[in-house]
Amino acid sequence: MRLLSSRPVLFALQLLVAVAIIGIWHIGSTWKVPAGLISQKSFFLLDPFFFSTPVAVFERTWKDFATGVIWYHLGITLLETALAFAIGAAGGVVIGFWFARRRIVAAVFDPYVKMANALPRVVLAPIFALWLGLGIWSKVALGVSLVFFIVFFNVYQGVKEVSPTVLNNARMLGMSERQLLRHVYWPSALTWMFSSLHTSVGFALVGAVVGEYLGSAAGLGYRIHQAEGVFDVTGVFSGMLVLAVFVILIDAVVTVIENRLTVWRPTVPAGH
Amino acid sequence: MRLLSSRPVLFALQLLVAVAIIGIWHIGSTWKVPAGLISQKSFFLLDPFFFSTPVAVFERTWKDFATGVIWYHLGITLLETALAFAIGAAGGVVIGFWFARRRIVAAVFDPYVKMANALPRVVLAPIFALWLGLGIWSKVALGVSLVFFIVFFNVYQGVKEVSPTVLNNARMLGMSERQLLRHVYWPSALTWMFSSLHTSVGFALVGAVVGEYLGSAAGLGYRIHQAEGVFDVTGVFSGMLVLAVFVILIDAVVTVIENRLTVWRPTVPAGH
Amino acid sequence: AAQGAPALAQKAEKPTLTLGVGGKPLLYYLPLTIAERNGYFKEEGLDVTINDFGGGAKSLQALIGGSIDAVTGAYEHTIRMQAKGQDIVSVIELGRYPGIVLVVQKDKAAKYKSVADLKGAKVGVTAPGSSTNFFVNFLLAKQGLKPDDVSYIGVGGGASAVAQMKRGEIDAMANLDPVITKVESDGDAVVLADTRTEEGNQKIFGGANPAAVLYLKRDFVAANPVTTQKLTNAFYKSLKWLEKASPEDVAKVVPEEYLLGDKTLYLAAVKASKPTYSITGVIPEIGMKNALNMLVEFDPELKSATIDLPKTFDGTFVKKASETIK
Amino acid sequence: MSGVGGLADATPVTGAPAAAELEGVRIAFPGSRPKDAPFVAVEGANLRVADGEFLAIVGPTGCGKSTLLNAAAGLLVPAAGNVRIFGAPLAGLNRQAGYLFQAEALFPWKTVLDNVSIGLEIAGVSAAEAKARSQDWLKRVGLGAFGERYPHMLSGGQRKRVGLAQVLIRDPKILLMDEPFGPLDAQTRQIMGNLLLDLWSLDRKAVMFVTHDLDEAIALADRVVIMSAGPASRIIGEWRVNLERPRDIAEVRLTPEFHALHREIWGALREEVVKGYRQTEGAA
Amino acid sequence: MSGVGGLADATPVTGAPAAAELEGVRIAFPGSRPKDAPFVAVEGANLRVADGEFLAIVGPTGCGKSTLLNAAAGLLVPAAGNVRIFGAPLAGLNRQAGYLFQAEALFPWKTVLDNVSIGLEIAGVSAAEAKARSQDWLKRVGLGAFGERYPHMLSGGQRKRVGLAQVLIRDPKILLMDEPFGPLDAQTRQIMGNLLLDLWSLDRKAVMFVTHDLDEAIALADRVVIMSAGPASRIIGEWRVNLERPRDIAEVRLTPEFHALHREIWGALREEVVKGYRQTEGAA
Ligand SMILES: Nc1ncnc2c1ncn2[C@@H]1O[C@H](COP(=O)(O)OP(=O)(O)OP(=O)(O)O)[C@@H](O)[C@H]1O
Ligand SMILES: Nc1ncnc2c1ncn2[C@@H]1O[C@H](COP(=O)(O)OP(=O)(O)OP(=O)(O)O)[C@@H](O)[C@H]1O
Ligand SMILES: [Mg+2]
Ligand SMILES: [Mg+2]
């Protein structure tokens, strides 16, 4: 157990998973199941028309980076993602706190927040474009509309989870509402918030990409859309690969901040 | 304060918000700002080409229900939503627990889960359609792919948040891993889980609708798409209105279950 | 490319433009890509940003919302918008035939030999309410069938459509290139009705039926005649170039990415689509009527509206372009 | 020295209002299931703490001692009766009081030093000064070396002492203390008790001190009250402790007056506990 | 009766292995900041509890009593030394032991009754029987009427008693009890103490009993050990209590043997506490 969780071993295991996935993908998309084995015709397990092949995808990705064409698009998408994440998370935190502390506000607006959360963003895209134009802001809005709700619900719950004794102690120590927020609610809701941030990093990116996909002139979503239009699955998968790698990087940053802000927690005893 | 939070007063306030929103919408979409006041030309604050008018939307919705055409589509969408919600939530809970209890599994798969969470689902629609056909399952898959991650991250965190003393007590009482899950982790993670369920109800519906929007033969998303294709904004908004109302109903069910399962919690002292 | 056009003498009122399109790599919009890649916009002194949208409807909405200046999109939008009181005008025709093809699943070809056999079939269209949907409605009506006699399934215009044809989930499908060329070349489908060719259009519509056009808000055209002229010129040049070009020439001009999926497929699709591109840039009267008939038949909203067809197309700009560009 | 049971021997009514006064207080909690009748923890409790008085409250477990302190702190609103603080009816929190809770109440996300200094910082003391004074207080409670730790790294008794420092450093006018020395060993208890007495003698706060240790109650307090066993418990006995001040806790126990008083209170208390035990044992 | 300091007077080595044996145990916690040196709470602790022996552990606050119990329970793994349970080295949890924690450890989401019965249900007892026996146990700890409540609706002392019932109902071979009677009044304490003694005398479990109350330690135990003040604390004294059994806790205190022993242990302990207080006061 202790051996298994050491850094290099862990990394090796992670690599193993990657190799396995890519291996399956490679075989499925390059080896034809001979005719008569399962069905009449010989066929691919993962038809390269829909799945491309890993070699082609890596080649394309490498080329995109080597020639540098992708940096511009990546930059735009990451900017949108970062903005969507920051604005959505900030909004979720602020409104979440506000709702949690003002019972009536929460009770009155509760159904409307839930309604808003259920609106399909894809349909709203034209309205975002109308209000915010075609620049990055309409994409940011789409990302915000995903991130906000995830963070909001978690912060709202996190604030309500504060230990009543600790809260009473804080009040008896004379804290004002603002000081309660800073010294009690905020640190107590932090774990909740970070849990939601891990989810919402991904959603911020999804929002940005889908926004680009629905209408734009640049960005990874735009590139994916272009590739889809000409059946260039390799291009589609290469775009998604780049997305996936970058979300890991952003998430790592979130984790570093999280560990910084939650040093005080007891380390949980290991499962086994 | 006590007066304000009584049931009928609350309801009246909620109604007030609805009336205000609809009022703004009505005025914005029917009253033209006269020329010269703000800009050269006279214009609508909320152009009915994009926003329709509330009267038209309610009329259409009423007609759809009166003639009964909408029930079939609504039924399909709700079925998809329910399935997406149930499967996604169950998957999130199970995998969340599994990851939280098996450190190594979590550590190894962590980056892959995060990558998967960042893939734009809209782009994956063709693959879902390829594997699952055009029936309800490809839409369910889309919903699941949204719900799963939200629930997963929260359950994962919820399990890790269990009080170490309570956990130690349970272990000293002789609980097996399964009993720990049932008697400790599960009840302790419930609040976390329900917080995520409130978010994911909306997302399940969004997934189903977007799935229908991208390709289907029935459902509210199909109707919305159809309306969009012929620039029938009234139809689009009417569809979203129906969605919004039904998500509130589903959420109410979740809340009832939540209150049932968490009777044991101390009622948090009121904010003010 | 031609030069010395008098329009060049004047400066465009709005040299920086945003142009919308719903799926730029689609062959339907090939003239746009040609104009862009061959530098015709620059030649005209225009700086055009092309914004790609998830679909034609979204680019139209962006035009009306004011975030873009011009759209390359379906001609029928100009008719619909007239019914909705939005003043939109097309200035040059880019595609003279819709290019929509109705195919049936290979294994079911024996069962569905003609449109009349489709009763009770599952028919894939790009989207409910789209022109592919109306096209099938129209074909059915000619056989005395109603839209309700088949069940429509939206399958999109990309890989999903191919997937459904392969899976055999749908019996028939109305779609555009390159989906059609793909399913044809893979041997998954058999053609029932084809509007990519002259004779096909003759058979189905009794003449042309405009597809893609360049349309703008009438206000914009009135306020920026020179800009509009220059835009029209660029597209006109593009049409002239396409008239003479071979599929290989096209492949050389379009962005490399367009070929990355499958070059032979691309070439085949270009070849199949070539007849659909407009030659004169002018929408013939019969074309307008055909388009309107198709819509009126199945859209209750349009049925009650009175459409002034000549208002949908302003031919003066193409005329001027054809005079100056040889 | 004169221990007298019953409320007859109340403090003479002087001109100054009592620091805290509970009058006919009734406190009820909702039943465990919605349909259950409410549980009346305290009924008709009368209690008065004069300014500068050290009052000890003893009583059988679960009788309602913490509940009374909560009422005095303004954390629980009585269903009937009045709570007055320095003569004014209490509305909302009692801002004059410092409360050492029976349960864990430290901020788990703050270091021990920050836990202690937060009260000062809230009151507007500069961060540097607050830290310095907190460090001093930590030393006084025997935890000078533990300032950097987080609460979960402390033993039960150490946590309690941090709580003590957290409350005392604010120097409130009324001190509410719920078993402050519970998890401490006898020796540390005495040290802390003397610390508290020193502090109290400086400016004579009003103190409400809940304890299970009758020795401690008598050694520290001016007056000891005992509560009846719950439910619906109230104050049933009161003794004035006329031992000389300043006292040393260890020494005062050796005096015969102490023993006499102890015996008397103990007798009354024992009866009550046995009664309470029987009541909660069977009743539905 | 013969109180002797030091470990020399260890229980004679019989054939039977000790119920729990700690040998040269060292327990270190990571420092508060990563760069800090680890904090050695216990160093070279030797402790042996024979089967059927009632051992009381006293020591200054923060010396490492809870830490030792955690080691015996298998919750903390010693950095050095051995822990043996009935002769076998302990790997993982000590499944033979029941542990009453010093901190709150009830399941907040279970009713009081379910909290008590869970141990039986886990052991495979039928739900109906488990409930019946739990109700019986609740009566024994004076909470018969409170079975339907959730823990947050109880007073501190009531919660502790639920914990007591939760552990005792399982009838474990080794009992680890960390200040079980801390928040109880003196009278209830005696009732609970007698309850524990009755139970213990039935089948003579091995008990490790941490308390701050020396009276209680002597009244209950066969042997009392005291620990030195931390850090790096260890067992520094040991006294055999040869008072007659069965004992009544209240009465045994009145015997002169009791008083002699008390004085002796108290003397040793006081010294240690004062030392400990000084150590933690200043050191960085
Ligand atoms: N939230 C609650 N809901 C219902 N009953 C409660 C609640 N809090 C306390 N009680 C009950 O009120 C009574 C008094 O509780 P309180 O905590 O004041 O006792 P206490 O005197 O402090 O006891 P201890 O010495 O054990 O701390 C107890 O019987 C307890 O069960
Ligand atoms: N997680 C931890 N990290 C660092 N130090 C710790 C940790 N847990 C306990 N300690 C330290 O170890 C020492 C012994 O702690 P322990 O809880 O065993 O004391 P104790 O004897 O039970 O005290 P008390 O009587 O106050 O409960 C204390 O000085 C404490 O600060
Ligand atoms: Mg209490
Ligand atoms: Mg301890």
Side-chain angles (χ1 to χ4, degrees):
Chain A
M1 179 75 192
R2 216 167 273 179
L3 175 79
L4 274 177
S5 51
S6 77
R7 280 244 158 202
V9 176
L10 187 67
F11 187 70
L13 283 174
Q14 290 182 338
L15 216 64
L16 201 75
V17 174
V19 169
I21 294 173
I22 295 171
I24 292 173
W25 180 14
H26 181 73
I27 292 170
S29 60
T30 53
W31 179 73
K32 272 201 165 183
V33 180
L37 203 66
I38 300 176
S39 86
Q40 301 289 25
K41 283 189 288 183
S42 80
F43 68 101
F44 289 108
L45 285 172
L46 299 170
D47 188 339
F49 177 75
F50 294 104
F51 294 95
S52 189
T53 67
V55 176
V57 170
F58 288 122
E59 239 170 36
R60 176 74 64 82
T61 311
W62 171 252
K63 215 185 88 199
D64 282 349
F65 277 102
T67 57
V69 288
I70 203 158
W71 289 114
Y72 168 66
H73 296 283
L74 186 61
I76 290 200
T77 302
L78 290 183
L79 176 64
E80 289 162 0
T81 304
L83 285 171
F85 182 65
I87 297 173
V93 168
V94 170
I95 310 272
F97 270 113
W98 186 45
F99 272 39
R101 300 297 301 135
R102 294 277 178 281
R103 287 275 183 90
I104 299 183
V105 175
V108 170
F109 285 97
D110 177 79
Y112 301 103
V113 171
K114 280 166 182 161
M115 279 184 182
N117 182 35
L119 297 183
R121 319 298 194 274
V122 176
V123 180
L124 297 179
I127 292 177
F128 287 145
L130 175 71
W131 282 338
L132 302 166
L134 287 172
I136 61 169
W137 290 107
S138 57
K139 285 92 201 172
V140 171
L142 210 72
V144 166
S145 79
L146 294 169
V147 171
F148 171 81
F149 290 101
I150 300 174
V151 176
F152 166 79
F153 282 108
N154 261 25
V155 169
Y156 181 53
Q157 191 64 41
V159 171
K160 297 210 290 188
E161 286 296 295
V162 172
S163 145
T165 322
V166 171
L167 181 61
N168 278 340
N169 189 19
R171 293 170 68 206
M172 287 308 294
L173 286 175
M175 289 195 194
S176 66
E177 184 70 3
R178 272 195 53 188
Q179 288 165 328
L180 281 180
L181 272 187
R182 187 168 145 219
H183 295 290
V184 181
Y185 291 111
W186 170 252
S188 168
L190 265 188
T191 12
W192 284 82
M193 200 188 80
F194 277 108
S195 165
S196 69
L197 292 190
H198 285 296
T199 332
S200 50
V201 166
F203 276 93
L205 196 58
V206 168
V209 169
V210 171
E212 288 166 2
Y213 192 86
L214 293 177
S216 71
L220 281 181
Y222 170 83
R223 276 178 69 87
I224 291 178
H225 192 196
Q226 298 292 299
E228 260 201 333
V230 291
F231 292 141
D232 175 13
V233 221
T234 310
V236 174
F237 273 71
S238 160
M240 295 211 285
L241 179 71
V242 175
L243 282 182
V245 170
F246 273 84
V247 91
I248 298 293
L249 297 183
I250 305 178
D251 190 83
V253 175
V254 172
T255 305
V256 167
I257 299 176
E258 178 178 11
N259 289 342
R260 267 286 166 101
L261 286 179
T262 55
V263 269
W264 56 271
R265 339 206 75 235
T267 36
V268 185
H272 280 237
Chain B
M1 178 78 193
R2 215 167 273 180
L3 174 80
L4 274 177
S5 52
S6 77
R7 280 244 156 201
V9 176
L10 187 66
F11 187 71
L13 283 174
Q14 290 181 339
L15 216 63
L16 202 75
V17 174
V19 169
I21 294 174
I22 296 172
I24 292 171
W25 180 14
H26 181 74
I27 292 170
S29 60
T30 53
W31 178 72
K32 273 199 166 184
V33 180
L37 203 65
I38 300 175
S39 85
Q40 300 290 26
K41 283 189 291 182
S42 80
F43 68 102
F44 288 108
L45 284 171
L46 299 170
D47 188 340
F49 179 78
F50 289 100
F51 294 95
S52 188
T53 68
V55 175
V57 170
F58 287 122
E59 238 169 37
R60 175 75 63 87
T61 312
W62 172 252
K63 215 185 87 198
D64 282 349
F65 276 102
T67 58
V69 288
I70 204 157
W71 289 113
Y72 168 66
H73 295 282
L74 186 59
I76 292 205
T77 303
L78 289 183
L79 176 65
E80 288 162 1
T81 304
L83 285 171
F85 182 65
I87 297 173
V93 168
V94 170
I95 309 271
F97 270 113
W98 186 44
F99 272 38
R101 299 297 299 135
R102 296 276 177 283
R103 288 273 184 91
I104 298 182
V105 175
V108 170
F109 286 97
D110 177 78
Y112 301 103
V113 172
K114 280 166 182 161
M115 278 184 183
N117 183 34
L119 296 184
R121 319 300 194 275
V122 176
V123 180
L124 296 179
I127 292 178
F128 287 145
L130 176 70
W131 281 340
L132 302 167
L134 284 171
I136 61 167
W137 291 108
S138 57
K139 284 91 204 173
V140 172
L142 210 72
V144 166
S145 79
L146 294 169
V147 172
F148 171 81
F149 290 100
I150 300 175
V151 177
F152 166 80
F153 282 108
N154 261 26
V155 169
Y156 182 54
Q157 191 63 40
V159 171
K160 297 209 290 188
E161 285 296 296
V162 173
S163 144
T165 321
V166 171
L167 181 60
N168 279 339
N169 190 20
R171 292 170 70 205
M172 287 309 293
L173 286 175
M175 289 196 195
S176 67
E177 184 70 3
R178 271 194 54 188
Q179 289 166 327
L180 281 181
L181 272 188
R182 185 165 147 221
H183 294 291
V184 181
Y185 291 111
W186 169 253
S188 169
L190 266 188
T191 12
W192 285 82
M193 202 188 79
F194 276 108
S195 165
S196 69
L197 292 190
H198 285 296
T199 332
S200 50
V201 166
F203 276 93
L205 196 60
V206 168
V209 169
V210 171
E212 289 165 0
Y213 189 88
L214 294 176
S216 73
L220 282 181
Y222 170 86
R223 276 178 69 86
I224 291 178
H225 198 183
Q226 195 174 31
E228 249 198 344
V230 296
F231 303 103
D232 172 16
V233 220
T234 309
V236 172
F237 272 71
S238 159
M240 296 210 286
L241 179 69
V242 175
L243 282 181
V245 170
F246 273 84
V247 90
I248 297 294
L249 297 183
I250 306 177
D251 191 83
V253 175
V254 172
T255 305
V256 168
I257 300 175
E258 177 177 13
N259 289 341
R260 267 286 165 101
L261 287 179
T262 54
V263 268
W264 56 271
R265 339 207 73 235
T267 36
V268 186
H272 282 238
Chain C
Q3 39 185 287
L8 259 184
Q10 284 175 282
K11 272 205 88 187
E13 302 90 342
K14 193 169 185 297
T16 314
L17 291 176
T18 329
L19 190 147
V21 56
K24 180 161 166 275
L26 298 179
L27 289 170
Y28 197 78
Y29 299 117
L30 183 60
L32 170 63
T33 306
I34 299 296
E36 180 203 18
R37 301 287 293 184
N38 280 350
Y40 297 148
F41 294 129
K42 270 209 200 83
E43 273 177 29
E44 296 290 335
L46 297 176
D47 177 9
V48 175
T49 311
I50 299 170
N51 239 296
D52 199 348
F53 291 88
K58 290 211 161 62
S59 49
L60 170 63
Q61 280 166 332
L63 177 79
I64 289 175
S67 31
I68 52 178
D69 305 307
V71 170
T72 52
Y75 168 68
E76 57 160 85
H77 288 166
T78 60
I79 300 177
R80 282 185 187 286
M81 286 307 108
Q82 206 179 87
K84 293 220 170 251
Q86 299 284 349
D87 213 353
I88 300 265
V89 63
S90 55
V91 294
I92 180 169
E93 182 192 57
L94 304 177
R96 51 181 173 157
Y97 307 142
I100 301 170
V101 181
L102 178 67
V103 295
V104 292
Q105 230 270 333
K106 177 91 170 300
D107 304 333
K108 295 166 185 155
K111 189 171 165 208
Y112 304 113
K113 284 201 211 63
S114 73
V115 176
D117 299 332
L118 283 179
K119 197 171 159 84
K122 281 194 256 174
V123 181
V125 293
T126 51
S130 66
S131 44
T132 51
N133 192 342
F134 282 107
F135 174 68
V136 182
N137 282 348
F138 180 78
L139 291 179
L140 291 173
K142 280 178 66 173
Q143 305 297 328
L145 294 173
K146 287 195 299 296
D148 288 346
D149 289 331
V150 301
S151 48
Y152 286 114
I153 302 179
V155 294
S160 308
V162 178
Q164 294 323 314
M165 221 48 199
K166 282 195 191 297
R167 279 176 63 97
E169 283 239 343
I170 45 179
D171 304 318
M173 175 172 75
N175 220 312
L176 297 156
D177 263 329
V179 169
I180 295 299
T181 309
K182 172 71 184 168
V183 292
E184 257 189 299
S185 65
D186 283 1
D188 291 324
V190 175
V191 174
L192 266 196
D194 191 343
T195 64
R196 290 176 298 188
T197 59
E198 177 137 27
E199 75 218 81
N201 280 278
Q202 273 302 335
K203 217 166 82 191
I204 295 164
F205 303 115
N209 186 349
V213 296
L214 175 71
Y215 61 75
L216 310 90
K217 281 190 181 168
R218 198 180 301 276
D219 298 351
F220 183 91
V221 176
N224 306 282
V226 182
T227 312
T228 310
Q229 183 63 57
K230 285 171 181 287
L231 258 183
T232 312
N233 288 350
F235 279 102
Y236 190 78
K237 286 180 194 168
S238 169
L239 290 179
K240 289 289 131 195
W241 185 89
L242 265 174
E243 192 184 351
K244 294 183 210 103
S246 68
E248 283 74 18
D249 294 335
V250 173
K252 263 179 230 143
V253 172
V254 298
E256 204 191 346
E257 288 95 52
Y258 288 17
L259 311 173
L260 289 173
D262 183 348
K263 188 169 177 187
T264 43
L265 173 67
Y266 191 81
L267 291 177
V270 170
K271 188 154 175 262
S273 294
K274 259 210 73 187
T276 66
Y277 301 114
S278 178
I279 294 172
T280 59
V282 179
I283 307 180
E285 222 165 289
I286 170 82
M288 298 188 198
K289 282 212 184 88
N290 280 335
L292 181 62
N293 287 342
M294 216 168 104
L295 289 179
V296 165
E297 190 103 15
F298 305 101
D299 194 331
E301 200 183 345
L302 284 171
K303 210 168 253 174
S304 52
T306 45
I307 303 292
D308 184 6
L309 273 182
K311 276 190 81 177
T312 61
F313 178 65
D314 182 346
T316 54
F317 296 98
V318 206
K319 188 150 174 279
K320 213 166 188 180
S322 65
E323 282 161 7
T324 51
I325 301 165
K326 288 292 168 257
Chain D
M1 221 165 310
S2 67
V4 179
L7 286 170
D9 187 36
T11 13
V13 182
T14 60
E21 184 166 7
L22 281 71
E23 209 179 58
V25 162
R26 168 203 172 95
I27 292 177
F29 294 102
S32 22
R33 284 158 308 183
K35 60 183 159 73
D36 289 359
F39 178 86
V40 180
V42 174
E43 173 86 74
N46 294 302
L47 194 64
R48 207 185 122 90
V49 197
D51 197 6
E53 190 186 22
F54 198 125
L55 175 77
I57 306 172
V58 291
T61 159
C63 68
K65 303 179 293 298
S66 306
T67 305
L68 271 195
L69 287 203
N70 281 338
L75 293 169
L76 278 177
V77 180
N82 300 308
V83 179
R84 271 192 295 274
I85 303 300
F86 291 115
L90 180 60
L93 280 194
N94 181 348
R95 293 274 172 207
Q96 322 258 21
Y99 192 166
L100 179 58
F101 291 83
Q102 183 178 18
E104 295 271 318
L106 296 181
F107 304 110
W109 43 81
K110 286 188 185 291
T111 61
V112 164
L113 190 67
D114 289 345
N115 258 292
V116 177
S117 68
I118 182 72
L120 290 182
E121 284 174 37
I122 284 167
V125 176
S126 79
E129 196 196 325
K131 291 273 184 295
R133 280 167 63 185
S134 305
Q135 184 58 42
D136 190 51
W137 262 100
L138 282 181
K139 272 203 190 128
R140 285 162 102 169
V141 298
L143 294 169
F146 288 50
E148 290 292 315
R149 296 207 183 185
Y150 288 99
H152 76 91
M153 301 166 146
L154 298 182
S155 80
Q158 289 168 339
R159 276 195 281 252
K160 203 77 192 183
R161 282 182 278 158
V162 176
L164 197 66
Q166 189 180 52
V167 172
L168 292 183
I169 200 174
R170 288 183 61 233
D171 201 20
K173 284 205 182 145
I174 305 175
L175 266 175
L176 309 174
M177 315 194 83
D178 202 344
E179 294 190 40
F181 307 149
L184 301 179
D185 60 279
Q187 189 63 42
T188 310
R189 245 177 146 112
Q190 288 185 4
I191 301 175
M192 292 297 120
N194 281 330
L195 179 69
L196 181 63
L197 277 191
D198 285 354
L199 206 79
W200 175 75
S201 60
L202 274 185
D203 58 354
R204 295 266 166 156
K205 302 159 198 313
V207 182
M208 287 172 78
F209 189 95
V210 170
T211 180
H212 282 311
D213 189 338
L214 194 52
D215 283 16
E216 191 171 82
I218 300 172
L220 290 170
D222 290 329
R223 196 156 49 103
V224 178
V225 298
I226 67 174
M227 290 182 77
S228 71
S233 108
R234 66 215 154 74
I235 312 289
I236 50 159
E238 177 175 4
W239 286 265
R240 186 152 295 283
V241 183
N242 287 334
L243 299 171
E244 224 169 301
R245 302 234 184 226
R247 306 176 189 162
D248 178 90
I249 297 181
E251 281 160 22
V252 83
R253 287 180 203 213
L254 307 174
T255 61
E257 296 94 326
F258 183 96
H259 277 118
L261 200 52
H262 189 285
R263 233 187 330 269
E264 200 177 317
I265 304 182
W266 176 243
L269 197 56
R270 174 150 60 179
E271 217 169 279
E272 214 33 55
V273 173
V274 174
K275 199 160 73 190
Y277 199 79
R278 291 237 180 72
Q279 269 175 16
T280 48
E281 198 172 31
Chain E
M1 222 162 311
S2 67
V4 179
L7 286 170
D9 185 36
T11 14
V13 182
T14 61
E21 185 167 7
L22 280 71
E23 210 179 58
V25 161
R26 168 202 170 95
I27 292 176
F29 294 102
S32 23
R33 284 158 308 184
K35 59 180 160 66
D36 289 0
F39 178 86
V40 180
V42 174
E43 173 87 77
N46 294 304
L47 193 63
R48 206 184 123 88
V49 197
D51 197 6
E53 190 185 21
F54 199 124
L55 175 77
I57 305 173
V58 290
T61 161
C63 69
K65 302 179 294 296
S66 306
T67 304
L68 271 195
L69 287 202
N70 281 338
L75 292 169
L76 277 178
V77 180
N82 301 308
V83 179
R84 269 191 297 275
I85 303 300
F86 290 114
L90 180 60
L93 279 195
N94 181 349
R95 293 277 172 201
Q96 323 257 21
Y99 191 165
L100 179 58
F101 291 83
Q102 183 178 18
E104 293 272 318
L106 297 181
F107 303 111
W109 43 81
K110 286 187 186 291
T111 62
V112 164
L113 190 67
D114 290 346
N115 258 292
V116 176
S117 70
I118 182 73
L120 290 182
E121 284 174 38
I122 283 167
V125 176
S126 79
E129 195 197 326
K131 291 276 184 297
R133 280 167 63 187
S134 305
Q135 183 59 41
D136 189 52
W137 262 101
L138 281 182
K139 271 203 191 128
R140 284 162 104 169
V141 297
L143 293 170
F146 288 55
E148 292 293 314
R149 296 207 185 186
Y150 288 98
H152 76 91
M153 301 166 144
L154 298 181
S155 80
Q158 289 168 339
R159 275 194 283 251
K160 202 76 191 185
R161 284 181 278 157
V162 176
L164 196 66
Q166 189 180 51
V167 172
L168 293 182
I169 200 173
R170 287 183 61 233
D171 200 21
K173 285 202 180 149
I174 304 174
L175 266 177
L176 309 174
M177 314 194 83
D178 201 345
E179 295 189 38
F181 307 150
L184 301 180
D185 59 279
Q187 190 63 42
T188 309
R189 246 179 146 112
Q190 290 185 3
I191 301 176
M192 293 295 120
N194 281 332
L195 179 70
L196 182 62
L197 276 191
D198 286 353
L199 207 80
W200 175 77
S201 60
L202 275 184
D203 59 353
R204 296 262 165 160
K205 304 158 197 315
V207 182
M208 286 173 80
F209 189 95
V210 170
T211 180
H212 282 311
D213 187 338
L214 193 51
D215 282 15
E216 189 171 82
I218 300 172
L220 290 170
D222 292 327
R223 198 157 48 102
V224 176
V225 299
I226 68 174
M227 291 184 74
S228 71
S233 110
R234 67 215 152 74
I235 312 289
I236 49 158
E238 178 177 1
W239 285 265
R240 187 152 293 282
V241 183
N242 288 333
L243 297 172
E244 223 169 301
R245 300 229 184 232
R247 304 178 189 159
D248 179 274
I249 297 183
E251 281 160 23
V252 85
R253 289 183 201 209
L254 307 174
T255 61
E257 297 95 325
F258 183 97
H259 276 120
L261 199 53
H262 189 285
R263 236 189 326 273
E264 201 178 318
I265 305 181
W266 177 243
L269 198 56
R270 174 149 60 178
E271 217 169 277
E272 213 35 54
V273 173
V274 175
K275 199 158 75 190
Y277 200 78
R278 291 237 181 72
Q279 269 176 16
T280 48
E281 197 174 30

